Amino acid sequence: MEAESESESSLGPEELFTSEWHAKESLRKMKSLCLAKKLTDVTLIASEVEITAHRLVLSSASDYFFAMFTGELMEASMSRVHLEDTDPVALRALIEFCYSGQIFLSEDNVETILSTANVLQISEVVRACCLFLKSRLDPSNCLGFSLFSESQGCMDLHRTAHTYVMDHFMEVMSNQEYLSLPVEEVKKLLSSDMLNVPNEERAFEALMLWVNYDLANRKNDLPVLLEMIRLPLLSPQYLTDHIENNPLLKEHSHCRNLIMEAMKYHLLPERRSLLHSPRTRPRKSTVGSLIVIGGMDGGKGAWRIEKYDLRSNSWSTVASLTSRRLQFGAAIVDDKLYVVGGRDGLKTLNIVESYCFKSKVWSAMPSMSTHRHGLGVGVLGGPLYAVGGHDGWTYLSAVERWDSTTRLWSYVAPLNTQRSTAAVAVLNDRLYAVGGRDGSSCLRSVECFDPHRNKWTFCAPMSIRRGGAGVGVINNYLFALGGHDAPILNPGVSRFDCVERYDPRTDTWSLVAPMKIGRDAIGVGILGDRLIAVGGYNGHSYLKIVEAYDPQTNEWEELQELEDGKAGMCVVVVKNGF
């Protein structure tokens, strides 16, 4: 007794005791009472199966039963409650969960358990079922899970399953679930910009696969479903070989009209801006990837080569330059990335390297005859052109051409004006050199190179002088973005947010919507029907911002930023499969 008194006195006058086992042990005893049908006060009846239970236990685990037994519903005073359209096996499993906190899930019972738990508002079980289904998604069941979860109001699972369908559509389309879909669900899939297909030809093949599975009953669905296929974006060869003379399509006048629309798109490229429709907007998976190479980042220069994926709106690092290089040019030739000239911080370079995305190997190529930084690079009809730049001493008008067949560099006609940091683009089989600096000032002038005549000619000048501008070509128009108007870069120089568009048919420039931020040394690339402006310098800092311009709406949209701010990077676009 003395020892016990000493122990009790050491506890102090007050202490809160908490049992770790009380709730679990209490539920165990309640379950035993339930099985023995002692103190039970309600019998649930589902399809003539009777389950006895305690209202208190059911109400504590289920919001449905809580509302039933504590409200003014007649079931609150009834000893026998019928649950219509309720699976008795799932109901018994869920009643046992109310007593034990445990439930067995399998591929055979999970959908029934989820549906019943959803009705009974047992949220813990609903979440567990959704996690179970998420972990078992595959191309053969994801469509079913997507439709089922939507019908149950489990929107998180629905989003996950729907995303899986979009991501793995090329595997999904060969499974029974896809072939058995109703027409409205097929329409939703084929109309989506997020459908992950390598090209539009595969989307058309998916449509015909579904139609031919039950041709007699589905051929009349072809007109409405063919509207979901971006026929103008099919290759001319595919249109001719698989679409134009397809007997199923020729049966319907609306299908014939859609085919004619696609043929006009290819036959009249100068009118494409007038033929704009949802069918001329590429799916995000078919536009390729934007590759951003190097640049200036406020330090010793960026080495990384980064890839932007429009469909996921995300950036990833895919490679690195072999050495420090600034103010270089880059282009895709024969499915390889060519990095041309530049400077390493000490000297101007004439070296050329190529990178194979498949083998991830860099190779040295024959060097240019002229050392150049601040050059422009473009690929015209196969050969690569290195335009202008600075050799470390003077501004250059010299232009060299690389022929990948002979593996030789040769000079072509020089520019009419010495230019460094001129923007270079290809439009209608011509090479354009836009703006830049000539040593005394920034330039408004624009020159155009005709490879057949080996001659540069002046075009209409821009509305303002632009040094370090970016350029891109969409729908037979050339766009000039940003830049500055000072002879040399310095922190006090203002940067332009204005953008102007050149029409080669009328030889005129016109202003379009400005970018959100004024900047120069912008990286520019084209993804589908949108022009992408990457990074740049605003006079104070290197920028992370990435914007996309839609020429149809004349609006800019912000995309996922770069990981680090940079300017003067080169931008190219690579096809799917790299």
Side-chain angles (χ1 to χ4, degrees):
M1 291 296 294
E2 290 180 1
E4 183 179 347
S5 297
E6 289 176 2
S7 175
E8 288 179 352
S9 63
S10 67
L11 292 175
E14 294 183 358
E15 182 173 289
L16 177 66
F17 168 72
T18 302
S19 171
E20 297 180 3
W21 303 99
H22 174 74
K24 186 174 182 180
E25 186 65 16
S26 296
L27 279 174
R28 187 188 67 78
K29 289 180 179 179
M30 291 179 196
K31 183 177 180 181
S32 297
L33 290 169
C34 181
L35 292 173
K37 298 186 178 180
K38 292 182 178 180
L39 301 180
T40 55
D41 52 4
V42 69
T43 299
L44 305 176
I45 305 169
S47 300
E48 300 182 356
V49 174
E50 298 187 357
I51 306 170
T52 58
H54 302 89
R55 296 172 188 262
L56 179 62
V57 175
L58 299 185
S59 298
S60 66
S62 162
D63 290 342
Y64 175 86
F65 286 127
F66 179 87
M68 176 183 286
F69 296 139
T70 64
E72 297 181 0
L73 298 173
M74 61 181 183
E75 286 88 351
S77 57
M78 294 171 60
S79 61
R80 295 171 64 82
V81 176
H82 287 266
L83 298 177
E84 302 295 336
D85 302 320
T86 302
D87 183 89
V89 176
L91 178 63
R92 186 180 296 281
L94 288 164
I95 297 305
E96 290 182 3
F97 174 81
C98 292
Y99 283 94
S100 66
Q102 296 178 325
I103 190 166
F104 177 75
L105 300 177
S106 70
E107 292 185 5
D108 294 330
N109 75 3
V110 65
E111 290 191 18
T112 307
I113 294 288
L114 172 57
S115 180
T116 308
N118 210 29
V119 172
L120 300 183
Q121 299 175 52
I122 305 177
S123 57
E124 280 188 294
V125 175
V126 171
R127 285 194 295 271
C129 291
C130 289
L131 288 172
F132 181 94
L133 291 173
K134 282 183 183 180
S135 69
R136 285 159 176 79
L137 282 170
D138 66 47
S140 68
N141 64 28
C142 54
L143 275 168
F145 286 178
S146 176
L147 296 173
F148 171 72
S149 57
E150 185 177 28
S151 71
Q152 297 298 312
C154 301
M155 300 316 295
D156 183 56
L157 174 59
H158 172 66
R159 284 189 292 270
T160 301
H162 180 71
T163 299
Y164 188 96
V165 172
M166 294 288 105
D167 289 349
H168 299 84
F169 182 72
M170 293 305 300
E171 301 163 83
V172 171
M173 62 183 272
S174 62
N175 281 275
Q176 186 66 36
E177 279 192 347
Y178 169 73
L179 297 173
S180 302
L181 281 177
V183 62
E184 286 304 315
E185 294 302 324
V186 177
K187 183 178 178 181
K188 289 179 185 177
L189 287 175
L190 296 181
S191 65
S192 175
D193 281 342
M194 296 299 290
L195 194 70
N196 190 17
V197 288
N199 50 56
E200 199 60 26
E201 285 82 353
R202 301 309 298 272
F204 174 75
E205 290 164 10
L207 163 60
M208 297 310 297
L209 190 67
W210 181 86
V211 170
N212 286 319
Y213 183 74
D214 186 6
L215 183 60
N217 293 311
R218 293 177 176 178
K219 63 180 181 179
N220 289 331
D221 294 322
L222 261 173
V224 68
L225 290 178
L226 194 64
E227 282 191 25
M228 305 303 108
I229 306 300
R230 288 100 195 270
L231 291 181
L233 304 183
L234 298 173
S235 69
Q237 294 81 4
Y238 195 93
L239 279 170
T240 301
D241 296 342
H242 301 280
I243 307 293
E244 186 179 14
N245 296 312
N246 187 306
L248 281 176
L249 302 180
K250 292 173 71 173
E251 289 182 19
H252 303 278
S253 61
H254 187 55
C255 290
R256 293 197 299 271
N257 291 337
L258 292 171
I259 295 170
M260 181 59 66
E261 175 190 64
M263 301 299 281
K264 286 181 179 178
Y265 188 82
H266 287 284
L267 291 171
L268 304 169
E270 70 280 0
R271 298 186 188 176
R272 285 181 180 175
S273 60
L274 302 176
L275 298 173
H276 177 73
S277 75
R279 289 178 292 281
T280 62
R281 165 148 284 187
R283 300 181 199 271
K284 293 182 178 181
S285 65
T286 64
V287 298
S289 299
L290 199 75
I291 304 295
V292 172
I293 308 111
M296 296 172 284
D297 60 1
K300 294 184 177 180
W303 291 51
R304 285 184 301 172
I305 299 176
E306 298 172 86
K307 180 178 77 171
Y308 174 74
D309 178 73
L310 181 63
R311 190 168 174 275
S312 63
N313 190 28
S314 63
W315 291 91
S316 59
T317 299
V318 294
S320 296
L321 294 167
T322 59
S323 61
R324 184 188 185 199
R325 197 184 288 210
L326 305 170
Q327 293 184 290
F328 55 89
I332 299 294
V333 180
D334 296 335
D335 294 336
K336 293 181 180 179
L337 170 65
Y338 275 62
V339 175
V340 182
R343 58 186 180 87
D344 61 8
L346 296 175
K347 60 182 181 297
T348 298
L349 308 171
N350 67 341
I351 60 174
V352 180
E353 295 176 291
S354 71
Y355 179 75
C356 177
F357 289 95
K358 293 180 180 178
S359 66
K360 303 184 186 305
V361 173
W362 283 98
S363 302
M365 306 301 291
S367 297
M368 295 182 292
S369 300
T370 304
H371 292 69
R372 307 170 187 264
H373 69 260
L375 70 159
V377 166
V379 177
L380 177 59
L384 179 149
Y385 290 79
V387 180
H390 197 283
D391 65 4
W393 301 98
T394 60
Y395 289 83
L396 300 172
S397 61
V399 179
E400 293 183 69
R401 179 172 59 196
W402 161 258
D403 187 326
S404 60
T405 303
T406 61
R407 294 175 60 85
L408 294 174
W409 286 96
S410 59
Y411 285 106
V412 296
L415 294 159
N416 294 303
T417 305
Q418 296 173 329
R419 299 174 189 267
S420 180
T421 70
V424 170
V426 174
L427 172 61
N428 294 340
D429 299 321
R430 300 289 188 272
L431 192 68
Y432 286 80
V434 180
R437 291 182 287 147
D438 65 1
S440 60
S441 64
C442 292
L443 302 169
R444 290 177 58 204
S445 63
V446 178
E447 299 186 52
C448 170
F449 178 72
D450 182 344
H452 302 293
R453 299 169 59 203
N454 190 29
K455 184 178 180 180
W456 289 89
T457 56
F458 283 108
C459 306
M462 296 179 288
S463 62
I464 58 174
R465 300 176 185 274
R466 295 180 189 264
V471 292
V473 172
I474 303 179
N475 293 337
N476 294 309
Y477 293 105
L478 185 149
F479 293 80
L481 293 69
H484 64 90
D485 62 358
I488 57 171
L489 295 175
N490 65 70
V493 173
S494 62
R495 268 72 185 178
F496 304 132
D497 61 3
C498 62
V499 179
E500 50 189 319
R501 183 186 72 180
Y502 176 72
D503 184 343
R505 292 163 294 186
T506 59
D507 191 30
T508 56
W509 290 88
S510 58
L511 289 172
V512 297
M515 298 180 292
K516 296 183 184 300
I517 296 176
R519 44 193 164 134
D520 69 345
I522 309 165
V524 178
I526 306 298
L527 281 182
D529 60 351
R530 296 201 289 176
L531 185 150
I532 314 296
V534 182
Y537 184 69
N538 65 1
H540 305 285
S541 58
Y542 295 95
L543 304 174
K544 298 180 180 180
I545 189 171
V546 180
E547 296 182 72
Y549 175 74
D550 185 337
Q552 299 301 326
T553 62
N554 192 32
E555 294 177 343
W556 288 90
E557 172 194 3
E558 289 192 41
L559 304 181
Q560 178 61 44
E561 291 185 339
L562 294 163
E563 182 177 340
D564 302 302
K566 61 179 70 175
M569 71 291 288
C570 287
V571 176
V572 298
V573 175
V574 297
K575 299 180 296 186
N576 289 327
F578 272 63

